[in-house]
Amino acid sequence: MTLVLDELGVDYVEGGWPGSNPKDEEYFKEIKKYSLSHAKVAAFSSTRRKDTKPSEDPSLNAVLRTDVDTAVLFGKSWVLHVNEVLKVSREDNLEMIYDSISYLKSHGLDVIFDAEHFYQGFKDDPDYALSVVKTAEDAGAKVVVLADTNGAMMPNEVYEITKRVVGTVRIKIGLHMHNDSGCAVANTVMGVLAGARHVQGTINGIGERTGNADLVQVIPNLIIKVGLRALNGSSSLRKLREVSRLVYELAGLQPNPYQPYVGDYAFTHKAGVHVDAVLKNPRAYEHIDPETVGNSRRFILSELSGSSNLVVYLEENGIKVDKKDERVKRALMRIKELENKGYSFDLAPASAVLIALKELNLYREMIKVEYWRVIDESGVNLAVVKVNGQLEVAEGVGPVHAVDLALRRALQKIYPELSRVTLTDYRVVLPSEVKNTESLVRVTAEFTDGVRRWRTIGVSTSVIKASIEALVNGLDYYLQLSRLRVIEGAQRSP
Amino acid sequence: MTLVLDELGVDYVEGGWPGSNPKDEEYFKEIKKYSLSHAKVAAFSSTRRKDTKPSEDPSLNAVLRTDVDTAVLFGKSWVLHVNEVLKVSREDNLEMIYDSISYLKSHGLDVIFDAEHFYQGFKDDPDYALSVVKTAEDAGAKVVVLADTNGAMMPNEVYEITKRVVGTVRIKIGLHMHNDSGCAVANTVMGVLAGARHVQGTINGIGERTGNADLVQVIPNLIIKVGLRALNGSSSLRKLREVSRLVYELAGLQPNPYQPYVGDYAFTHKAGVHVDAVLKNPRAYEHIDPETVGNSRRFILSELSGSSNLVVYLEENGIKVDKKDERVKRALMRIKELENKGYSFDLAPASAVLIALKELNLYREMIKVEYWRVIDESGVNLAVVKVNGQLEVAEGVGPVHAVDLALRRALQKIYPELSRVTLTDYRVVLPSEVKNTESLVRVTAEFTDGVRRWRTIGVSTSVIKASIEALVNGLDYYLQLSRLRVIEGAQRSP
């Protein structure tokens, strides 16, 4: 991940808090094996403990042991924290900050000082909060970062307070915003407009409580909207969606489809009037060109959409039809009918395309599932499938996985081109309240052939049945489009 | 939902676009059967079509047929839309706006005029954008709403442009923000600070693309942070989490745990230093008291947390222990060990409590699964389970559902108090890329006895095995706490 951030052009990667846990210690050992083109790895730590000399403080010494060039040191700037959490005098707190920075500086490190709770501290006692910034400046810090640790601030307050600080000290000012009031991104922008020139945040905003400022939103706002130079400019912007996805995957989290700039829905148009207008001029309902940030335009089908959405969809799939064609209208009606029965084609347009192909008489049956049976027994999951006359058995980590393997094994004997298709994502959407499990289970699946990606859906009262529908749809979609010669480079099936 | 919004104290509920689809038509018929205490129901429409008299325009007449007192009418204020989407002259567009408002006014309706794309329009051609606002004012609109339809604006721009408009016209100014730049909430606050006094948004921000301004964040920001009077003040604030949940449920969406103010994580503390400080003074890491918005404080266990989190957790579960107790440290080590193996106790603290009980020697084995087998056959899912000597079979909608039913049926014979426990949520977290399905599957389950709620986790390479672990953990948690007399009113087990 550090290497990816380096390639993105960030100046610093805060690698962890050495001494707080073994995982972070391990990181600093490991990262030394790599050479970074631009980014510096920084180690995080608090200021020294009270009544301890810096040279005897375990956390500061753990930073030295990591052998990094830069430390990010956090200290208190709100009297509430000084009095009630640290329980030291105001003067002692300033000394702890001064000492800790000096100690690290004397060992040749650059120090970025994070003034925790700066904004709330400033509102309570501006003189004390400013004295913390000045102490860090005097001790030789490279940057002082003003933190809204509790995410308490409104954008106008951030602007005014940051401007006061920038006008008072000479040191470079940075920002660290949390999202508890839903303003972390906006507050970062306002702080930069007030003169801050160093920004902290996380990819996808992952962090305590509601999270930190999401860099995936902050970066394009600063480059595209405010017009600043940052990172490697447009080449960094184009990587944003990819970097965002990678972080979700490493963190084991599902991507947020509504995420500004990089989410699946960020440039997805649903309402019929929006689709019509975007076809005339994308600027009509898009604030930027989606390609700028590595994203793409999508149209979705739903009860709100008209024939335009479906026609656009089919065109994207290489099938030209007339919006006024009766068969298009019939396909749309069939889609709406299925949506009433629990299907949702928003995220499974490939299944909608299959329905349209049937109404357009372009569909030919290519997969016929004749029999399936799943056997689960303490730890072993087997699936037996008979499809297009081929009987196959497979073992998987779960029943659905076993079915997927058995299906493919059987079908690849007849359609070898299916070896290009891989399943990239698979989700079971159970009814949110299990007391209603009598209701329907939805399964969505995502496939790729290395060039394009497509999603399908299956709905049933049985998870396995719904999964088979989604899996078969995904393979069928590829076969149908190959047969119609829509997918370039694919072998034509018999 | 309209009734809930009425109770919350909102002024207007925009019920739909009559004439665009039958669902919306139905709404206006249905809502007449109810009497609202404060809110007015408004119908949405575009201005009349070009080359049509208002009296012959289907959309305007559909509004009249709904019999509402207020119409929300949207029209164009950006020359790009006038030229390229509507394809009319600038003057014709102004006439369409004037005519449409006058027509509805002449039928006794109040008109709220939404100036679509106002901010982008103003940046392109301020004079034309302002002339749209003045036209609506002259035609007798009650409010003119400035819309950032594409979510393109930065907070400083919204402030400056809104201030210009408020200083130029006398009519009340409203705001309608989209979240494409991640600033919808902040932009609404900035517009209000510039003098706007009418705010549009949606609960949870549900809307086109990345969504609208989330009222669940805007409302507390305006009341608590900016200090304005809005809705019914603090009594409305306390309902926010409940209203947010209801909307997610009705929309069939999973709540966003990171949502500011109302999300599960909004006041959840993970880092050991944060937990220590919050125990001294909650203001240390909370921007507001969670109860203010109907939310509550949570502590979670993870590799970042110290003994404090676990001790607080056990206390919340009625078990008092000393932070320095060696057994607490051993329990924490065991938890961290399991997290390294793929467990995640963040959302499954009941499973962590069971681990702690074992280390504290407070645990007694009460459930013993001796045998299980799942049989799936085209549409029929059976589970056979032998637990504590009881053999049971059940049929479910999926293999996991069948196992759940069989387990409970068997255990209730021995522990009748389990009839109070219901499973309220059940999720399978598959590895995000199925090519890695050799990796682990996590299952989390949520239970309630009508008073408290608890969550458990199971991890395995098999979905069924992980499910059994989570299900058994959930029932076991209830039995252990009943036995320890922690759960009041529960029967003591033998």
Side-chain angles (χ1 to χ4, degrees), chain A residues 198-230:
Chain A
H198 167 107
V199 164
Q200 295 184 353
T202 62
I203 300 293
N204 302 329
I206 294 171
E208 275 282 328
R209 305 185 308 277
T210 58
N212 292 63
D214 179 2
L215 290 176
V216 159
Q217 300 174 54
V218 167
I219 292 167
N221 278 344
L222 292 179
I223 297 178
I224 305 172
K225 302 294 173 72
V226 179
L228 292 178
R229 274 183 300 129

Side-chain angles (χ1 to χ4, degrees), chain A residues 12-16 18 28 40-46 59-60 62-64 66-74 100-101 103-105 107-114 140-143 145 198 200:
Chain A
Y12 295 98
V13 176
E14 195 182 285
F28 288 103
K40 285 181 179 151
V41 170
F44 188 68
S45 172
S46 61
S59 185
L60 293 179
V63 169
L64 293 181
T66 61
D67 206 24
V68 294
D69 300 325
T70 305
V72 178
L73 211 62
F74 80 94
S100 305
I101 298 175
Y103 179 67
L104 294 175
K105 284 284 294 177
H107 283 80
L109 271 78
D110 281 339
V111 178
I112 295 171
F113 179 72
D114 279 10
K142 195 174 178 185
V143 184
V145 176
H198 167 107
Q200 295 184 353

Side-chain angles (χ1 to χ4, degrees), chain A residues 382-401:
Chain A
L382 299 176
V384 176
V385 170
K386 191 174 178 190
V387 52
N388 295 22
Q390 305 288 325
L391 189 64
E392 265 297 349
V393 61
E395 184 185 342
V397 295
V400 177
H401 185 228

